[in-house]
Amino acid sequence: MQRDEGRSGERRPGTGRFGEYGVLVTGAGRGIGAAICRRLAAEGARVLVTDVDGERARRTAQAVREAGGRAEAAVCDVGERASVEAAVALAVDLFGGLDVLVNNAYAHHPDVPLFEDSSEEDWARDLDITLTGAFRCARAALPHLAAAPDRRGAIVNIGSVNGERDFGGHAYSAAKAGLASLTRTLAGHAAPRGVRVNLVAPGTVATSVWEGKETALERAAREYPLGRVGRPDDIAAAVAFLASADASWITGVTLPVDGGLLTGNLALRRALGEADG
């Protein structure tokens, strides 16, 4: 287990909406995951930034610290049980417990032109990292989340509108739909233990994966009722809410953060002359 030089210690009162709390975020080296770390640190969290790429995790943690937050970094491959369990153990050691788990890590292989030419290896990888990886993390973290004071333990999964509608990506979409189902079943199981489990379903978000494809983002923005694609901070704000005391009576939900994409078919409404603008 590679990690920054962390500082373990006892919990201390904080000023965030949940007071001071310990958070582990997977896939947090860039994009949405990095934005989540920045936002939760600003809310008073001590954050363990994890990523399969240790250098990316360290850069995110350093940026959080430079902004006045508290963060450490560690390598975590959610495809490996031992790596997941080591990351959870490190978070507990650093923070004196674990209050929030954010499952953000995913894999996404592009579709091939013909479904029958799809690779079983790519399919299995997308499901293993995106869905089973979240399962591994939740399994390792749940006993610690259940021990969090004031019944404030929470899991926030990062899903996708792909898990709700057809936007392409067979394996990725199936994995995200499975993650939404796991969110509901785990919420029912974990509720008596004082742990809430919810999912944020982003639409198109302008992250580094879209570099060089800005024209596609501009075209996509026209299909969103709110007129733009998302920003990583849009998703981070929703995660911060679901992780906070403000959401203490919310569990098992899928919260779309999608600029209105799932409300209907904007292109069809325009074709029929029923949309403004």
Side-chain angles (χ1 to χ4, degrees):
M1 164 63 67
Q2 300 177 29
R3 49 167 282 192
D4 275 0
E5 293 182 1
R7 299 178 297 278
S8 60
E10 296 180 356
R11 297 173 183 261
R12 299 183 300 277
T15 58
R17 285 183 289 174
F18 244 175
E20 184 176 273
Y21 57 113
V23 178
L24 188 157
V25 185
T26 68
R30 59 184 178 181
I32 290 172
I36 290 168
C37 292
R38 293 191 299 268
R39 178 60 183 260
L40 293 181
E43 294 282 343
R46 291 177 289 176
V47 182
L48 180 60
V49 181
T50 75
D51 198 281
V52 70
D53 184 323
E55 182 55 35
R56 284 203 303 245
R58 285 187 285 274
R59 287 197 298 266
T60 295
Q62 181 62 31
V64 169
R65 291 193 292 265
E66 289 174 356
R70 286 170 294 176
E72 306 296 338
V75 173
C76 178
D77 180 354
V78 301
E80 298 290 339
R81 179 175 183 172
S83 183
V84 166
E85 292 180 349
V88 170
L90 175 60
V92 171
D93 176 61
L94 288 171
F95 308 141
L98 183 63
D99 303 291
V100 176
L101 167 68
V102 180
N103 282 313
N104 177 67
Y106 73 95
H108 182 193
H109 290 86
D111 288 342
V112 295
L114 292 177
F115 183 78
E116 57 266 35
D117 293 331
S118 300
S119 161
E120 287 194 19
E121 291 75 18
D122 289 351
W123 174 275
R125 179 66 175 171
D126 282 8
L127 265 67
D128 185 58
I129 298 301
T130 308
L131 176 56
T132 310
F135 154 77
R136 292 186 185 102
C137 293
R139 179 177 60 186
L142 191 54
H144 305 286
L145 300 173
D150 302 322
R151 296 174 64 87
R152 68 187 183 186
I155 297 173
V156 183
N157 296 318
I158 306 303
S160 172
V161 292
N162 287 55
E164 307 296 320
R165 301 285 192 278
D166 171 26
F167 297 107
H170 300 298
Y172 174 79
S173 298
K176 291 298 191 180
L179 187 56
S181 179
L182 177 62
T183 296
R184 293 187 291 271
T185 59
L186 186 55
H189 169 82
R193 304 170 71 179
V195 178
R196 298 177 299 105
V197 187
N198 294 293
L199 181 141
V200 174
T204 307
V205 178
T207 66
S208 60
V209 301
W210 290 98
E211 288 179 1
K213 303 176 183 177
E214 288 77 13
T215 301
L217 283 182
E218 291 173 5
R219 290 197 303 266
R222 295 195 289 269
E223 303 306 320
Y224 280 82
L226 288 181
R228 67 172 176 87
V229 298
R231 296 182 286 262
D233 287 347
D234 294 322
I235 313 308
V239 172
F241 165 65
L242 290 173
S244 78
D246 291 343
S248 63
W249 209 46
I250 299 174
T251 196
V253 306
T254 290
L255 173 61
V257 183
D258 66 348
L261 183 65
L262 295 180
T263 61
N265 191 322
L266 183 59
L268 179 60
R269 291 181 62 223
R270 285 174 173 158
L272 296 175
E274 295 180 1
D276 293 331

